Amino acid sequence: MLVIVLDAGHGGYDLGTSGHGLVEKDLALEITLKVKQQLSQHKGISVHLTRANDTFISLLERADIANRLKADYFVSFHHNSGGGTGFESYIFPGLKGTTTAHMQSVLHKKVMAFYEEFGLRDRGEKTADFAVLRETKMPAILLENLFLDATHDAQCLKQSHFINELSQTIAESIIKVI
């Protein structure tokens, strides 16, 4: 049985970013729950969440959950702000040429193909020393699904059919890489 841990970023008093009436903690949870629903339909996959509601979970607790479950893959869901636009994915630095990097490349390309249909920008496959990537003991990726303060990005994220299709695409991408 493959174990996947999905991490809805932020939560509780930690709002994350916001813009155009969207709040990161809420949108990240919505997408995470939809991805879980999609993945749960597949036999041989056990899906776990770091949070299933609006509660605060520390970064180390998120990694500990995945490590205790001996997860095969960890996916953290976030949204960006700061004047940019588009999609980017992150893995921990120093993993070039590894399984984690290959998984990032496959997942990123598949999700980006969806975003391109809406004229959204590819900000690239990146690395960062984020705690949830550093502290997890399995391949892990952090997805920055568009900018809440960018008008076009936010307009897309406000549409339920867009969120549903994005969630399905992410779920299919996870299945493809595991």
Side-chain angles (χ1 to χ4, degrees), residues 58-60 63 74 92 128-136 142:
S58 77
L59 297 174
L60 292 180
F74 178 90
F92 190 71
D129 186 16
F130 296 141
V132 294
L133 301 178
R134 178 181 62 247
E135 300 299 328
T136 46
L142 186 142

Side-chain angles (χ1 to χ4, degrees), residues 61-111:
E61 286 177 280
R62 294 166 191 266
D64 285 345
I65 290 167
N67 292 337
R68 277 194 311 270
L69 290 167
K70 295 180 174 33
D72 295 290
Y73 200 41
F74 178 90
V75 183
S76 189
F77 294 84
H78 291 266
H79 301 279
N80 240 327
S81 68
T85 183
F87 168 70
E88 57 196 11
S89 64
Y90 289 89
I91 59 172
F92 190 71
L95 296 176
K96 185 176 181 178
T98 66
T99 299
T100 300
H102 173 72
M103 293 169 88
Q104 176 190 29
S105 183
V106 171
L107 192 148
H108 185 96
K109 284 180 176 80
K110 187 159 176 52
V111 173

Side-chain angles (χ1 to χ4, degrees), residues 10 74 78 84 95 101 109 114 117 124 135 152-153 159 171:
H10 306 280
F74 178 90
H78 291 266
L95 296 176
K109 284 180 176 80
F114 166 78
E117 294 175 24
E135 300 299 328
H152 180 60
D153 292 26
Q159 299 175 37

Side-chain angles (χ1 to χ4, degrees), residues 35-54:
V35 171
K36 179 185 190 289
Q37 181 182 29
Q38 292 286 326
L39 289 174
S40 296
Q41 296 174 16
H42 295 270
K43 292 181 179 163
I45 298 175
S46 177
V47 185
H48 301 269
L49 303 174
T50 57
R51 69 179 182 97
N53 53 39
D54 188 17

